[in-house]
Structure formats: C-alpha cells, structure tokens
C-alpha cells in the first residue's frame, strides 16, 4: 500500500509560506519552488540503497558508504512540473529526466495524454513524478497510467500542495504509489482550486495568465 508523507521541515514550511503569498513575484516564486524541490528531494531519497567501499583518507584507510547505483528518473507533468526539476537534480544530478504532457478534454474534462518521452530503460528505473499541485488527482492518475503503460514499476509522486480529494484519487487508482507533499490543504473549491493553495502554479512560475 502506498503511503502519504507530509514534510514538516521548518525550511520547507517557511519557503512554502512565501510561495503561497499573492505578493510573491515570478522571479521569487520560481526560486522558492526550486529551493523547496531541493529540500524535498533530500527527504524523498532517504531510502536509497547504499553499499560499502574501501577508501583512504589523508590520515588512514577506512570504509565509507556510497549510493549503490540505483537508476532514477524525474518526470515532470507539463508544464508546471518543470519548475521543480532543477531543484531535484541538484541533489541527484545523475538522474535522467522524462516528460509527460496532458491536456483537459473540453467536453469530458478528463486529462488526455499528448506527449510522453522517457528514458529507454524504463523497467530498470525508479520514477519520481513531479507536479506542484495535486487538486482533483485526474492529471496525476493519468500521468501514472502513462508511466505504467511503458513499464514503470516503482513510482513516487512529489508535489508542493495537495487537496484531500487528489490524495484519495491516487490512493484509489494507484495504491502502490507513495505520495510526498509539503502541505495537505483543506479542500477544493467549486472551481477545482486548492484552498488555501497557491493559485495557478504554471502561471506563477512562467508569468502567464
């Protein structure tokens, strides 16, 4: 069963407060999202496998631990997820980066896949799927479907703020996926926005309306 992790680290919560603030401009918003993504990457990689090696310090011979070489991939959901990628790569620069693009059908309102590009060795990698917002959960569920259809077996979902409705939707459709969030907000409003949320993450990241 997938688990839900809410990060209460003081630095994450401090920066998230400024991300939420309507007065925060595009430049600062982008930098803060990048910084929080870096901090969250530190937490989400806590269970990476290690191996012991021999080495020599300037003083003596000893043993040390290094990552065992587990293959990772970061996959942002276009477009807002792009804002979190560089922050994660600062912590795990060897990770490959894929992309999943979705649009909402104007009649059914369901997310439709229009673009997927992943590393060639999908079945050998652990995937970190990223998007700043988890609202209804429709896009996240469809993105997870896209990864699984192509052979992904181990997927984690990482986002800044989530509504309870979105968390429950992922748990219902993909109960093997762990969810990592900086804040679990109150609810969705009648327009499908997270309350209190942070507005439209894509528009605030890229300065669009």
């Amino acid at each position: 069963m997938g688990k839900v992790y809410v990060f209460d680290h003081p630095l994450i919560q401090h920066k998230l407060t400024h991300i939420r603030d309507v007065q925060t401009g595009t430049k600062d918003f982008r930098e803060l999202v990048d910084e929080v993504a870096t901090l969250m990457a530190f937490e989400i990689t806590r269970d990476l496998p290690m191996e012991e090696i021999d080495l020599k310090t300037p003083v003596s011979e000893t043993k040390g631990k290094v990552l065992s070489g587990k293959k990772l991939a970061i996959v942002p959901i276009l477009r807002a997820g792009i804002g979190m990628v560089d922050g994660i790569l600062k912590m795990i620069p060897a990770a490959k980066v894929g992309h999943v693009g979705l649009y909402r059908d104007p009649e059914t309102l369901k997310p439709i896949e229009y673009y997927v590009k992943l590393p060639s060795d999908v079945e050998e990698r652990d995937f970190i799927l990223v998007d700043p917002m988890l609202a209804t959960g429709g896009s996240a569920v469809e993105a997870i479907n896209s990864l699984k259809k192509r052979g992904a077996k181990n997927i984690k979902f990482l986002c800044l703020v989530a509504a309870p409705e979105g968390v429950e939707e992922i748990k219902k459709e993909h109960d093997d996926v762990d969810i990592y969030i900086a804040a679990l907000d109150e609810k969705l409003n009648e327009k499908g926005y997270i309350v209190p949320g942070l507005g439209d993450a894509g528009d605030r990241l890229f300065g669009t309306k």
Side-chain angles (χ1 to χ4, degrees), residues 22 44 56 62 67 107-108 127 129 143 167 171 188 195 207-208:
V22 70
I44 200 173
K56 186 174 183 180
T62 187
L67 296 174
E107 294 183 2
T108 66
F127 283 81
L129 182 66
V167 171
K171 289 170 66 176
L188 294 177
V195 179
T208 53

Side-chain angles (χ1 to χ4, degrees), residues 64-78:
K65 291 183 178 180
V66 296
L67 296 174
S68 66
K70 183 66 178 178
K71 293 182 177 181
L72 299 176
I74 306 163
V75 179
I77 299 176
L78 301 178

Side-chain angles (χ1 to χ4, degrees), residues 63-168:
K63 295 183 181 295
K65 291 183 178 180
V66 296
L67 296 174
S68 66
K70 183 66 178 178
K71 293 182 177 181
L72 299 176
I74 306 163
V75 179
I77 299 176
L78 301 178
R79 65 182 168 142
I82 293 174
M84 299 178 69
V85 172
D86 285 347
I88 301 171
L89 285 173
K90 290 174 185 175
M91 296 298 293
I92 41 176
K96 296 291 180 67
V97 178
H99 296 87
V100 172
L102 304 167
Y103 72 90
R104 191 176 298 276
D105 186 288
E107 294 183 2
T108 66
L109 300 182
K110 292 183 177 180
I112 305 296
E113 173 191 300
Y114 70 86
Y115 181 80
V116 177
K117 187 73 172 181
L118 301 176
S120 57
D121 52 353
V122 172
E123 295 185 359
E124 300 175 22
R125 292 188 179 270
D126 287 355
F127 283 81
I128 302 173
L129 182 66
V130 298
D131 197 357
M133 315 287 290
L134 176 59
T136 64
S139 294
V141 165
E142 187 57 35
I144 295 168
N145 287 338
S146 296
L147 297 182
K148 287 185 173 181
K149 281 191 299 185
R150 291 163 175 83
K153 295 181 174 61
N154 190 349
I155 303 168
K156 296 177 179 179
F157 181 78
L158 180 68
C159 74
L160 298 183
V161 299
E165 295 91 334
V167 171
E168 289 305 314

